[in-house]
Amino acid sequence: MTLSQLRPKTLAGILNFYLGIGLVVITLALSVSGYYFISHILQESLKSKALALAEQVSTLTLDAVMLQEYSIIERMSHDLVNKNPDLLKIKITNQHNQVLSEVTHAEIIESPGLEINKPLTFFNRPAGNISLHFSTTSINQSLLQLSILAALAFLFMLASLFFAVQRLLSKHVINPIQDLCLELNSTQKIFYETLDLKQDLPDELSLLNNAVYKLQQALQQHIKSLATAHEFSAKATQNLCQSQKLITTGQMAAGLAHNLNTPLANIIGYSQMAIQQTEDNALIERLQIIERQAKNCSDAVKNLLDSAKKPELIIQSIDLVSFIDNLLQTMTPIARQKSNMRLQFNHPTSALSKIDPSSFEQIIFNLISNSMEANATEMIFTLMADEESPGWKLQVEDNGEGIDKETQQKVFKAFFSTKTANAQSNSGTGLGLYLNRTLLQQMHGEITIQKSDQNGTTFLLQVPIDA
């Protein structure tokens, strides 16, 4: 088993593992050094003690020899051996190598660890020798006890250090990283929420937190960009399909116009001639229906042609107040005759704008025609300044049949109509409001439905101001 296999997988375990190895190596080195240092001190202490004891024995021995009291030497030797547990043996000889006293410790049988030989001299002449044998068992026992205490202290210190490192790592490193991982594991949190920037982290973790935060911001921005690009692509595809549809319709309309205009003109002309030449009311009514439907067909063909080609506008500076007022005065008799509808115009003193008069006239006519089809009896035109952007707002309100919310999203699309076909009305081509929006956008304006319900519909037209 290798060291890499023994290495823990967690950050706290790895730090404790390497920290423990380092402490063990340092402790072993310090223990060996301390062991030899203390052992040397204890041995030197025992040696000093032995030398002092040998000096004392030497003095007493010389005194006893001078008095020829050899029994004193024997008693002294026994007393020293009995009172000094470390003293294993004492041997005293004279100058002739005769043993004056030899005492061995009766209970301890071991090899001497320290041997001291002290020559006896009397007036610088050899008088004998003193040999002391000491045991080092007490030293070894002391060293063993110190080693055990050091090992216990080391284990306690190591455990305390591991515990402190674990607590510090958990508080300042592991827990913040785990919290960050939990936040990163949530797709909702990453894509749609903002990660918290913690302020009480170490510098390294603060850099990590900031990096993750910036990465999340970049990811969210990239997702928004993708969503915007997808939306743009969808709109472009839709516009392309619509353009292809209009091109195809224009090509078809051009052929239809050539083939239908002449027959329709003949039908209308002969219908009018027949009406003038007969007095049969029932026949006149039927001829009028034929004339009206033929005109509707002719108008439908014309609308198809107008929608298929790009409008060519002539932008002019006009006063909207006088222009709309004159237009409504012209349309009032027609509106009263066809649907008994009243037209009302609320306006400021003047309102200069840059528009194409012919196109704007067609827009107003389409709105009035739609209101008549919706059985409205009143239309109110209100011209006011646009407070949000430099321009004018024309609010067109009627009391006819409203448009439901689902249909409101489609009324400005080409070929979508809210009208139903019958014998008395035009079923509609679905191009009126589409042309209105197209013309207004060409004039840098816009048309929207402000509201629509059972009480009527309100359109809001925005046109640029003539600065």
Side-chain angles (χ1 to χ4, degrees):
M1 185 175 293
T2 61
L3 183 63
S4 60
Q5 293 176 332
L6 294 174
R7 187 174 60 183
K9 302 301 181 182
T10 62
L11 178 61
I14 292 174
L15 291 176
N16 284 330
F17 178 74
Y18 286 111
L19 186 61
I21 291 177
L23 287 175
V24 168
V25 172
I26 293 174
T27 303
L28 288 176
L30 292 176
S31 298
V32 171
S33 301
Y35 179 84
Y36 284 107
F37 179 72
I38 295 174
S39 175
H40 177 73
I41 291 176
L42 292 176
Q43 287 181 357
E44 289 295 325
S45 175
L46 180 62
K47 186 176 182 180
S48 298
K49 176 182 176 182
L51 291 174
L53 183 61
E55 186 69 28
Q56 183 182 0
V57 171
S58 174
T59 302
L60 292 175
T61 300
L62 288 175
D63 291 342
V65 169
M66 292 177 61
L67 297 174
Q68 295 184 352
E69 294 288 343
Y70 297 103
S71 60
I72 296 175
I73 298 174
E74 188 70 21
R75 288 197 302 271
M76 178 189 66
S77 299
H78 281 282
D79 290 341
L80 289 175
V81 170
N82 292 330
K83 292 181 180 179
N84 291 278
D86 295 332
L87 184 59
L88 298 178
K89 180 180 179 181
I90 182 171
K91 182 179 180 180
I92 303 174
T93 59
N94 58 16
Q95 67 272 20
H96 302 294
N97 205 23
Q98 295 176 342
V99 177
L100 300 178
S101 176
E102 184 176 3
V103 179
T104 302
H105 204 291
E107 298 180 357
I108 301 177
I109 301 176
E110 61 177 91
S111 300
L114 178 64
E115 183 176 354
I116 299 296
N117 291 310
K118 173 68 177 175
L120 293 174
T121 58
F122 185 73
F123 293 106
N124 295 325
R125 290 185 301 174
N129 185 63
I130 299 175
S131 178
L132 301 176
H133 297 265
F134 287 88
S135 172
T136 58
T137 301
S138 60
I139 296 177
N140 294 332
Q141 289 178 349
S142 299
L143 289 174
L144 179 61
Q145 292 175 356
L146 288 174
S147 299
I148 293 174
L149 290 176
L152 293 175
F154 168 72
L155 291 176
F156 176 77
M157 180 181 66
L158 193 62
S160 301
L161 184 60
F162 285 167
F163 178 76
V165 169
Q166 181 70 28
R167 290 292 300 273
L168 290 174
L169 286 176
S170 298
K171 180 178 180 181
H172 297 289
V173 178
I174 297 176
N175 290 340
I177 292 179
Q178 288 178 345
D179 294 341
L180 184 60
C181 291
L182 289 176
E183 293 181 347
L184 294 178
N185 285 333
S186 172
T187 304
Q188 178 73 19
K189 185 76 173 177
I190 294 176
F191 291 157
Y192 304 107
E193 299 180 13
T194 302
L195 294 178
D196 297 330
L197 277 175
K198 299 179 176 60
Q199 304 297 329
D200 55 347
L201 296 177
D203 293 341
E204 293 80 2
L205 290 182
S206 294
L207 292 175
L208 176 62
N209 196 8
N210 289 331
V212 173
Y213 176 80
K214 292 179 180 179
L215 181 62
Q216 185 207 27
Q217 297 297 314
L219 180 61
Q220 291 181 349
Q221 185 64 34
H222 182 64
I223 291 174
K224 290 180 180 178
S225 300
L226 289 178
T228 303
H230 178 72
E231 182 180 357
F232 177 79
S233 177
K235 288 183 178 179
T237 303
Q238 183 180 5
N239 292 335
L240 179 61
C241 293
Q242 187 69 19
S243 298
Q244 293 295 332
K245 185 177 180 181
L246 290 176
I247 291 172
T248 303
T249 302
Q251 293 173 349
M252 294 174 58
L256 286 173
H258 178 73
N259 295 324
L260 293 179
N261 278 336
T262 301
L264 288 174
N266 291 333
I267 292 172
I268 294 172
Y270 281 105
S271 298
Q272 293 174 348
M273 290 174 58
I275 291 172
Q276 294 175 359
Q277 295 175 1
T278 182
E279 295 181 356
D280 186 347
N281 292 331
L283 180 58
I284 291 174
E285 184 177 352
R286 294 187 183 93
L287 291 172
Q288 288 176 343
I289 292 174
I290 293 173
E291 179 189 5
R292 183 165 54 250
Q293 294 302 321
K295 288 182 177 179
N296 289 339
C297 290
S298 179
D299 292 339
V301 173
K302 181 178 181 299
N303 286 334
L304 285 173
L305 288 172
D306 291 341
S307 64
K309 64 182 181 180
K310 185 177 180 180
E312 296 180 0
L313 306 182
I314 302 176
I315 304 299
Q316 302 177 21
S317 177
I318 65 170
D319 182 7
L320 288 177
V321 174
S322 59
F323 180 80
I324 297 174
D325 188 54
N326 294 333
L327 181 59
L328 294 183
Q329 288 180 12
T330 303
M331 293 295 298
T332 296
I334 301 174
R336 287 181 179 177
Q337 179 182 1
K338 288 189 175 183
S339 60
N340 196 26
M341 186 170 65
R342 185 175 67 90
L343 304 179
Q344 179 181 340
F345 184 32
N346 301 321
H347 55 82
T349 305
S350 64
L352 295 178
S353 177
K354 283 189 173 182
I355 60 173
D356 177 41
S358 178
S359 298
F360 199 74
E361 180 178 340
Q362 183 179 354
I363 293 170
I364 300 299
F365 175 79
N366 287 340
L367 292 177
I368 295 175
S369 177
N370 288 343
S371 295
M372 289 191 294
E373 292 289 343
N375 299 321
T377 59
E378 183 179 34
M379 284 190 75
I380 302 176
F381 293 79
T382 304
L383 183 62
M384 66 192 80
D386 193 342
E387 298 178 354
E388 298 179 358
S389 60
W392 299 100
K393 294 193 297 185
L394 179 62
Q395 190 179 63
V396 182
E397 180 181 3
D398 67 25
N399 60 351
E401 299 172 0
I403 307 172
D404 59 79
K405 290 185 178 180
E406 183 179 355
T407 306
Q408 291 178 24
Q409 307 299 324
K410 306 175 183 178
V411 293
F412 293 108
K413 294 182 178 180
F415 309 108
F416 182 84
S417 177
T418 60
K419 303 169 187 176
T420 57
N422 54 60
Q424 300 296 328
S425 66
N426 179 16
S427 60
T429 61
L431 293 171
L433 290 177
Y434 168 76
L435 286 174
N436 282 4
R437 169 166 283 184
T438 302
L439 293 172
L440 278 171
Q441 289 177 348
Q442 290 290 325
M443 293 184 284
H444 306 288
E446 187 57 85
I447 179 172
T448 56
I449 297 178
Q450 193 172 33
K451 74 176 185 65
S452 184
D453 52 30
Q454 66 275 14
N455 296 323
T457 302
T458 302
F459 286 92
L460 184 63
L461 285 68
Q462 296 172 287
V463 294
I465 193 172
D466 184 10

